[in-house]
Every structure is written in C-alpha cells, then in structure tokens.
Amino acid sequence: GLHAASARFAAAPALRLGRSRALSTAPVDDEMEDDIDVDGVAYGFMASQALFAGLELGIFDAIAAAGGSVDLPSLQRSSGVTAPRLQTLLTALVASKALRRSRDGAYDLSPNAARFLVSSSRHFYGDYLKLQIGRQFYHRMGALTDVMKTGEAPSYASWFSDPEVAATYTRAQHNGSVATAKALLKRMAGSVSLDGASKMLDVGGGSGAFSYVFTGEMQPRCSREAAEMQ
C-alpha cells in the first residue's frame, strides 16, 4: 500500500549510500558509476510527487517563515493536513534531502530547499516546478508508452486553446526562466557586457523573462521587446 511504498522510497537513499549494497541496484564499484541505478530511476516519481506536494501545501514557506526548527503539529496547522499522513510526506522529504529532521523531531530546510523552494527567495522557482512540472506535465508522461506506439500526442496548439491552461503555463515558465536567466547572468559575469546597448529583442521570449532579467540587472536603461514565435 501507500505506506509500504513510502517506506521503500525512504529506505532507498540508505541502500544507495551502501549500507545494504546487496539489496540495492546502485552501482557497486567505481567502474560501474556510469551504470543505471534502477531503484533510483524507478522510485524517482515518489520523490518528485513529495516535492510537488510540499510546494502545494506550503511546507517550505512555513518552515522558512518560522525561522526553521518547526515541529509536526505546527506544520499540520499551517498546511491544514492534521492527519498522520503528513508525517509520511515529511519523512519522504527528509529522505530526498529537501528537509532535515533533528533528534527532537523538528524540521529545517536544506540549503537548496531554502534557496530554490521558498517563495520569498530571489532564487525561487517553485512555481515552475509546482505549476508546470507537477500540475501540467507530470500526469501526461503516463501516456508515454501509448505515444511511442501510436505516434499520437496532444499538440501545444490544442493544449493552449484553454486560456486558463495557457496562463498557468506562462506563469510557471516565467518563474523558471527568470531563475535560469539569473543563473546564466551569473556565469556570464565579466565576460559579456551590454554597455552601449539601447534595445534588446528577445526572440521566442514567451513572457520576456530573459530580457527582463538581462536589462534589469545588466543594462537598466535598455528597452526590451519580446517576440513570440508562432
């Protein structure tokens, strides 16, 4: 059942770390490091869904708002999930290293969770993960085998004919693109300059996230325009 599957997922990191190598499908020596970790791939969907649920329930924001060290009853109140099943979700998030649990049962954020999964962080891209990957893309991947066999798949045109779906996609994509643009800008620091530029055309720019970040942080006086491709 669900609890047994969650327990299996929670145990998987320990297996991959080598404490029970005989039961793990992870590579067993250095020569096999480029081999597939069958359990890691097969059970990966549990970690993904735990992450999405944590975002949907506001778990990461609640811990950040409290300054860390939040106990289970507090998270039950903030999330509105008072049933014991919240403990199972938190255990999965600890197993995937998104959360850390102290000996007295309090939960803290991992550094990457605090950086990327808390909505008040300037590096946040949780809306992209939650709205686009979690709500829009994830369940569609369940049809992959049928798509491979038949070649029939929904088109973006038919998908985005629903204004609400299109708006959610754009909001999510903007959040993810802003985070990507900031990371790219950091890597380009010192090697690329927009000095002297007065206009920027963002081709295939969607919401204009990249031009928004580039002109905002590199050349504030530069005007920008996003041209979406048809």
Side-chain angles (χ1 to χ4, degrees):
L2 175 61
H3 290 291
S6 298
R8 178 66 183 84
F9 161 69
L15 298 178
R16 291 195 291 273
L17 287 173
R19 290 196 286 272
S20 299
R21 284 290 189 184
L23 299 178
S24 176
T25 61
V28 295
D29 54 45
D30 292 341
E31 294 182 357
M32 297 177 63
E33 284 186 353
D34 62 346
D35 203 349
I36 185 174
D37 176 355
V38 176
D39 279 355
V41 174
Y43 287 94
F45 75 96
M46 293 186 179
S48 298
Q49 288 290 20
L51 181 68
F52 302 149
L55 286 165
E56 294 280 5
L57 294 172
I59 298 297
F60 307 110
D61 278 356
I63 295 175
S69 297
V70 181
D71 59 17
L72 176 62
S74 297
L75 289 173
Q76 287 176 322
R77 288 192 295 271
S78 66
S79 67
V81 181
T82 58
R85 60 180 173 270
L86 185 65
Q87 177 72 76
T88 303
L89 174 63
L90 296 176
T91 298
L93 291 172
V94 170
S96 63
K97 301 182 180 179
L99 299 182
R100 295 173 176 175
R101 186 176 186 272
S102 67
R103 290 182 179 274
D104 62 359
Y107 294 92
D108 284 291
L109 300 170
S110 73
N112 274 346
R115 183 178 176 85
F116 300 120
L117 304 179
V118 174
S119 60
S120 59
S121 169
R122 69 185 300 269
H123 302 288
F124 172 72
Y125 70 103
D127 276 351
Y128 170 72
L129 299 173
K130 175 179 68 176
L131 300 176
Q132 190 175 110
I133 306 303
R135 293 187 190 178
Q136 295 188 319
F137 283 176
Y138 193 96
H139 70 282
R140 292 178 180 273
M141 292 302 294
L144 182 58
T145 300
D146 288 339
V147 172
M148 291 295 103
K149 290 180 176 180
T150 66
E152 297 180 1
S155 67
Y156 275 96
S158 62
W159 192 19
F160 292 161
S161 62
D162 183 331
E164 185 175 348
V165 170
T168 297
Y169 180 92
T170 300
R171 174 186 167 189
Q173 190 64 47
H174 181 79
N175 179 235
S177 295
V178 165
T180 302
K182 288 181 177 179
L184 179 60
L185 196 61
K186 185 176 181 179
R187 295 185 63 178
M188 292 169 51
S191 61
V192 176
S193 173
L194 293 182
D195 291 346
S198 60
K199 296 181 180 180
M200 180 177 183
L201 177 62
D202 189 353
V203 179
S207 67
F210 267 72
S211 56
Y212 162 76
V213 172
F214 274 58
T215 58
E217 300 197 14
M218 290 185 70
Q219 185 59 287
R221 297 181 181 179
C222 184
S223 64
R224 55 190 172 86
E225 182 176 349
E228 186 53 70
M229 305 180 72
Q230 299 295 324

